[in-house]
Amino acid sequence: MITATVFQFFGDNTSLLLDQCVWTLKMFGAAFGIAVLIAVPLGVWLGHIHRGAFLAINISNVGRALPSLAVIAIGLTIFGLGFLNVMIALVILAVPVILTNAYVAVDGVDSDLTEAARGMGMTGLQTLWRVELPIALPLLFAGMRTAALYVVATTPLAALAGADGGLGDVIANQASYRFVGVVTASLLISLLAFAIDGLFALLQRSATPRSLRGRRGIEAKGSVLEAT
Amino acid sequence: MTSLDTAHDEGPSARSGASGGTAAEIVFDSVTKRYAGQEQPAVDNLSLTIGAGEICMLVGPSGAGKTTALKLINRLIDFEEGDITIDGRGVRGENVTALRRGIGYVIQQTGLFPHMTIAANIATVPRLLRWDKQRIRARIDELLELVGLEPEYAKRYPAQLSGGQRQRVGLARALAADPPVMLMDEPFGALDPITRGRLQEEFLRLHARVSKTVVFVTHDIDEAIKMGDRVCVLRQGGRLAQYDPPDVLLARPVDEFVADFVGADRGLKRLSLRRVGDLHLLPAPSARAGEDGTAARARVAEVGYETLILVDDDGRPQGMIGRDSLNGPVNASDARSIGVFGRLDMPLRDALSVMLSQAGSHLVVVDDDGRLAGLVSADLISAELAGTDASARAFDADEVPT
Amino acid sequence: MIGILAQGGSGPVIPDFGGGGAGNSCVRDNGFFCWNWFQQNWSDTFQPRLIEHIELTVVALAIGFVISFAAALFAYRYKWFDFPFTTFSAFLYTIPSLALFQVLVGITGLTLATALIPLVTYTLLILFRNTLIGLQEVPDEVREAARGMGLTRRQILWRVELPLALPAILAGLQIAAVTVVSLATVAAFVYDHGLGSPIFDAINRGTFKTELIGAGGLAILLGIASYAFFAVIQRVATPWARYRRA
Ligand SMILES: Nc1ncnc2c1ncn2[C@@H]1O[C@H](COP(=O)(O)OP(=O)(O)OP(=O)(O)O)[C@@H](O)[C@H]1O
Ligand SMILES: [Mg+2]
């Protein structure tokens, strides 16, 4: 019964919902892209030189303790209502997760391997590129996957902070869109999250050497769960 | 010499009597254990009597069922066929937790509780038995001393100890409530040879003080021979191959499997079981400086030796003098160095080794006070081994149906 | 439906930030942070909201812990239970919080239950997994030694397995607490409670900065404090874990 009404709602509001999906994806793409650009190089570099464990770990811990809505609220005072503020808040929330995983992934590469690489005459950068990164990749993707999910699932909060757009708009406005609208938009968000999670699962899998596949420990231990 | 002699003759089984302890006899009566879904039993129709206060070493190849047999005793593994009794009481009739509280259990990985201090680890069973605090505290101190750990270790956590120290704590914890029976599964298996050797010695000393019936699993045949009053050799499939005192096992392995298992050097291994003091030492011709050389020379000739042992007024050997230099009064300046002395508590294996390295045919043996006790020769050693063998063969002959 | 946005849209054109009195130009100009206003509203806005927030967090965490702990003990004993409970709580975990709050409004209305139920559900996965894994990771030889010494099943659980699982359990509580503090601000959208309320209030008034920073800042501090709280508990309650070997 509810399925039928959901489909009907979707049929009646297809273009609106698709627009909101696109808006949500844009928000996700921008925030996640910037977070990756900041956190991956920094985390990988810190891991490569085995420095800054304190920084990497504590940034993640403090980052994890930041309530998302509070970050958005404080951002409002600086950037005002709108896309930019929410995007920046999402970047702030995503960076710690990616950074820590990138750091741990590279820092944790067996020192026997890196020493062997240097022993064969590789430079530091060559070691990073040919040995450390390939080995760190699965864990690095695991961190990105967690962060991606977190970002997608947090985008609806944008609506609460006055950014007009995105599926959050529908979810937050039960008065206008009624219960069925809330449910439909929630399902769409969950679908997006599911799709993005699946995408990263594939990336993570293809980055894992065949011989190591099927070991579930890595992702479970490496990534940090975040509820939104 | 005599004191050592009696100490040895008293033998292992007398150890229990010595401290008037609480050891109990363990009897396996046709015990069979088959794990679910396995054709071959892990322990097959095992019958065995372990005397009160004895150390029974369980050996055998990997997978032979040693651990299984051990865990049947404290019912960490349940069994249906046959029975195991401790002092006549079947383990299956007992309340399982009460049974286990009365049995010390030591394993290779120690199983110490990481979240408890050493003191709390040791206090585990006494607390279960509701001893009062003071008694527990006193017991902890006593046990730490017994296993050779300083009292300040009481407050540490297991992760702060070395492997050997943790193994000592494991031992102390198992001894805490003074159980009559101790089960030990390769307790020293993960230690380096030196630590292992030291712990073996200490365990034997401790066993002499606190009488326990010990069932001890090991991979190491040398450990079995060194520690055991009796050695139980299991073969693949959990069947008993041989159950005998170490010396008999080495002298008369019942079949090729046991012979292989104890190793081709079993003759030498037997040598490490006996000590110089066990032998009837050969008399050594000796003389003090200034004695009449001609008389001394006659004494040397009488036993057919080439040299005389020069001793001081207390009878301590000072050197040796060739028969030919014995003209006139015995002169200390004619003496050559003797080299390394044998001692009464020296294993025969070491005595032989010293003899070989000094390229001599005899070893001069001194007693605990450094006084001349006699001589050992390679012939004497082989005669000793042959003697046991001879009696063993006679024993064999009895068993052969005629 | 409280329809904050609608209300915000139809609100007064000229910001009315209330309080502050006529002479407070900082508030009138919507200055970055008006300490005066914050102080004046501490005792009747911020402090009670903070306390509500803490209460909400504690209650949600406590309920979540009781459920997950019982479920984890059950799953530890009966392995088959692990998969369905994990799947179920993982499913709940993936629902965006705002959606869950909103959907519940249709069922339980604008009540405390609507705020509380999602908060509790978001703790389940982490608390359940951490407790169960903590128990499962107790080394076999430790368990066997305990059995060999004659501890009963219950004694092994309470004296050996649970103490050894404590670091994992506390780590789970730490993450759960931080999560609940965060989501409880969103909960104010459907139930006027906690530090989220002044945040929504400030947005409705036309992004009143002082209130946003005051409430947002308190929420952030509370998040960090709850993280630190469990870090300290962890250190005090499991002194032995410091010496763990590599
Ligand atoms: N829990 C179990 N379930 C099924 N089979 C088992 C179990 N434990 C041991 N076995 C089997 O029983 C046999 C005897 O095992 P046991 O552990 O007693 O050997 P062991 O003599 O102690 O060997 P090791 O020297 O390697 O410790 C082996 O074949 C083993 O595979
Ligand atoms: Mg074994």
Side-chain angles (χ1 to χ4, degrees), chain B residues 66-67 185-186 217:
Chain B
K66 306 180 292 292
T67 298
D185 195 347
E186 304 193 36
V217 171

Side-chain angles (χ1 to χ4, degrees), chain A residues 124-218:
Chain A
L125 271 181
Q126 284 170 327
T127 309
L128 177 63
W129 191 247
R130 300 198 185 164
V131 179
E132 290 173 310
L133 268 185
I135 292 174
L137 224 45
L139 190 51
L140 211 149
F141 277 127
M144 288 177 28
R145 180 179 172 185
T146 310
L149 255 181
Y150 184 38
V151 170
V152 182
T154 309
T155 48
L157 293 190
L160 303 186
D164 55 346
L167 291 161
D169 238 11
V170 182
I171 297 174
N173 281 302
Q174 193 158 10
S176 321
Y177 300 108
R178 291 170 297 121
F179 186 65
V180 63
V182 172
V183 171
T184 310
S186 302
L187 281 174
L188 283 174
I189 278 282
S190 299
L191 270 178
L192 281 183
F194 193 75
I196 287 173
D197 187 53
L199 189 72
F200 275 91
L202 278 179
L203 270 178
Q204 196 182 335
R205 193 177 151 76
S206 61
T208 312
R210 213 165 273 279
S211 57
L212 295 179
R213 284 183 199 170
R215 285 211 227 149
R216 294 190 46 87
I218 295 178

Side-chain angles (χ1 to χ4, degrees), chain B residues 6 32 49 66-67 70 93 142 147 151 157-158 194 225 250 316 344 351 354 358:
Chain B
T6 44
T32 297
T49 299
K66 306 180 292 292
T67 298
L70 190 81
E142 186 185 347
V147 299
Y157 289 100
I194 293 174
I225 288 163
L250 293 171
R316 294 196 190 88
L344 292 174
V354 170
Q358 296 190 149

Side-chain angles (χ1 to χ4, degrees), chain B residues 71 100-101 105 115 159 161, chain C residues 144 147 150 159 163 243 245:
Chain B
K71 288 188 187 171
R100 290 175 186 160
R101 285 170 199 181
Y105 184 51
H115 62 300
L161 302 189
Chain C
E144 182 182 296
R147 265 195 338 131
R159 296 189 194 191
Y243 308 110
R245 306 197 150 227

Side-chain angles (χ1 to χ4, degrees), chain C residues 64-95:
Chain C
F65 182 70
V66 168
I67 297 172
S68 327
F69 187 75
L73 287 189
F74 191 79
Y76 184 50
R77 181 93 181 253
Y78 303 100
K79 291 202 174 8
W80 60 265
F81 187 64
D82 181 5
F83 181 74
F85 195 88
T86 300
T87 310
F88 174 67
S89 51
F91 166 73
L92 290 177
Y93 196 83
T94 53
I95 304 174

Side-chain angles (χ1 to χ4, degrees), chain C residues 4-239:
Chain C
I4 281 163
L5 287 178
Q7 207 178 313
S10 64
V13 182
I14 300 160
D16 170 18
F17 297 135
N24 197 332
S25 64
C26 174
V27 171
R28 220 178 306 115
D29 304 342
N30 197 6
F32 191 68
F33 185 67
C34 309
W35 178 247
N36 243 340
W37 190 90
F38 181 74
Q39 262 183 326
Q40 280 165 13
N41 288 274
W42 169 256
S43 57
D44 53 280
T45 303
F46 293 106
Q47 191 194 28
R49 292 311 194 183
L50 177 63
I51 291 171
E52 280 172 12
H53 205 102
I54 294 172
E55 283 170 355
L56 196 58
T57 303
V58 170
V59 171
L61 207 54
I63 297 175
F65 182 70
V66 168
I67 297 172
S68 327
F69 187 75
L73 287 189
F74 191 79
Y76 184 50
R77 181 93 181 253
Y78 303 100
K79 291 202 174 8
W80 60 265
F81 187 64
D82 181 5
F83 181 74
F85 195 88
T86 300
T87 310
F88 174 67
S89 51
F91 166 73
L92 290 177
Y93 196 83
T94 53
I95 304 174
S97 57
L98 186 61
L100 191 50
F101 286 124
Q102 283 288 62
V103 168
L104 269 178
V105 169
I107 302 164
T108 44
L110 299 172
T111 63
L112 176 64
T114 306
L116 207 49
I117 292 171
L119 295 184
V120 170
T121 62
Y122 288 117
T123 66
L124 295 181
L125 180 64
I126 187 82
L127 291 177
F128 175 78
R129 293 302 307 163
N130 273 37
T131 306
L132 184 60
I133 290 173
L135 288 171
Q136 285 169 344
E137 283 188 346
V138 172
D140 280 340
E141 70 265 16
V142 169
R143 211 174 281 124
E144 182 182 296
R147 265 195 338 131
M149 280 190 285
L151 275 77
T152 62
R153 204 172 184 143
R154 176 171 301 206
Q155 284 167 335
I156 293 175
L157 181 66
W158 288 97
R159 296 189 194 191
V160 179
E161 293 175 319
L162 281 173
L164 284 178
L166 197 58
I169 294 173
L170 286 173
L173 277 169
Q174 185 176 44
I175 298 174
V178 166
T179 305
V180 173
V181 166
S182 172
L183 298 183
T185 53
V186 181
F189 187 66
V190 293
Y191 182 65
D192 190 15
H193 212 68
L195 289 168
S197 294
I199 291 179
F200 290 125
D201 182 55
I203 294 172
N204 282 339
R205 294 184 192 199
T207 60
F208 177 25
K209 293 180 181 172
T210 302
E211 197 174 16
L212 281 175
I213 290 186
L218 282 175
I220 287 175
L221 285 180
L222 187 58
I224 294 175
S226 52
Y227 190 92
F229 173 77
F230 280 103
V232 170
I233 296 262
Q234 174 122 223
R235 226 181 140 71
V236 174
T238 61

